[in-house]
Amino acid sequence: MTEIIPAKQEDAVLIHELAHAIWYPTYESILSKEQIAFMLDKMYSVEALRSAIQDNKAFHLLYEDGNPVGFIGVDPKEDLLRIEKIYLLPSTQGKGYGKLLIDFAAQEAKKLGLPTLELNVNRSNNAYQFYLKQGFEVMQEIDIPYYGFILDDYIMRKKLN
């Protein structure tokens, strides 16, 4: 059984642990270990996560049979809902949980009257193909300077029905 639950302040440690378990296997073939460590420290320190949760950045945890296996972070903008973070443990990939989280984000967007989902994905990330299958389209190719690193991303959007 799966369930998606809003994250609370005390879940910052759990999200931190999940991020560390997910990022290295996900990005080690496309980013340097230094960049992975830096990004994890910058975005997924317990303090940064507590601050984000307190500032109402909507984090939700995905549980499989009572065990946390992933998370999503969404941020409503004027005319769309941004998926800021969407990550699953590698052991759960292929189980339909990515689609489940995308569908969850779509439901949240519809509740807010927002007709579009948007996300960034690293151009070398295998998830790019997954997002295409979920109906996302590339809107822009972008290189984002980030503390001495370059994030080479696609900005992707999906129109909701």
Side-chain angles (χ1 to χ4, degrees), residues 2-69:
T2 60
E3 58 183 335
I4 299 172
I5 299 174
K8 300 180 286 301
Q9 285 283 314
E10 54 268 26
D11 293 320
V13 171
L14 177 56
I15 296 169
H16 169 84
E17 291 169 354
L18 281 168
H20 280 76
I22 294 166
W23 266 63
Y24 283 100
T26 301
Y27 290 113
E28 65 190 351
S29 66
I30 53 178
L31 302 176
S32 70
K33 289 208 183 316
E34 294 78 22
Q35 185 172 354
I36 294 170
F38 177 82
M39 302 281 284
L40 282 169
D41 185 57
K42 191 85 181 140
M43 297 186 303
Y44 293 101
S45 69
V46 173
E47 298 76 28
L49 290 164
R50 282 192 178 130
S51 176
I53 293 168
Q54 181 177 339
D55 291 344
N56 238 357
K57 299 288 185 219
F59 274 95
H60 291 80
L61 288 156
L62 174 65
Y63 286 85
E64 173 189 65
D65 298 326
N67 298 308
V69 296

Side-chain angles (χ1 to χ4, degrees), residues 44-130:
Y44 293 101
S45 69
V46 173
E47 298 76 28
L49 290 164
R50 282 192 178 130
S51 176
I53 293 168
Q54 181 177 339
D55 291 344
N56 238 357
K57 299 288 185 219
F59 274 95
H60 291 80
L61 288 156
L62 174 65
Y63 286 85
E64 173 189 65
D65 298 326
N67 298 308
V69 296
F71 60 92
I72 186 169
V74 296
D75 190 13
K77 300 295 183 189
E78 246 177 64
D79 59 346
L80 55 79
L81 184 71
R82 275 210 39 93
I83 299 173
E84 296 290 352
K85 299 159 183 10
I86 180 169
Y87 291 104
L88 292 165
L89 290 172
S91 62
T92 65
Q93 290 174 3
K95 291 186 171 185
Y97 295 164
K99 180 176 178 0
L100 185 71
L101 289 175
I102 296 288
D103 291 347
F104 171 80
Q107 290 169 0
E108 293 297 299
K110 287 177 182 177
K111 284 183 202 171
L112 298 168
L114 301 172
T116 306
L117 293 178
E118 180 180 84
L119 55 79
N120 283 29
V121 63
N122 181 290
R123 293 195 294 262
S124 299
N125 190 331
N126 292 336
Y128 167 69
Q129 295 297 325
F130 166 75

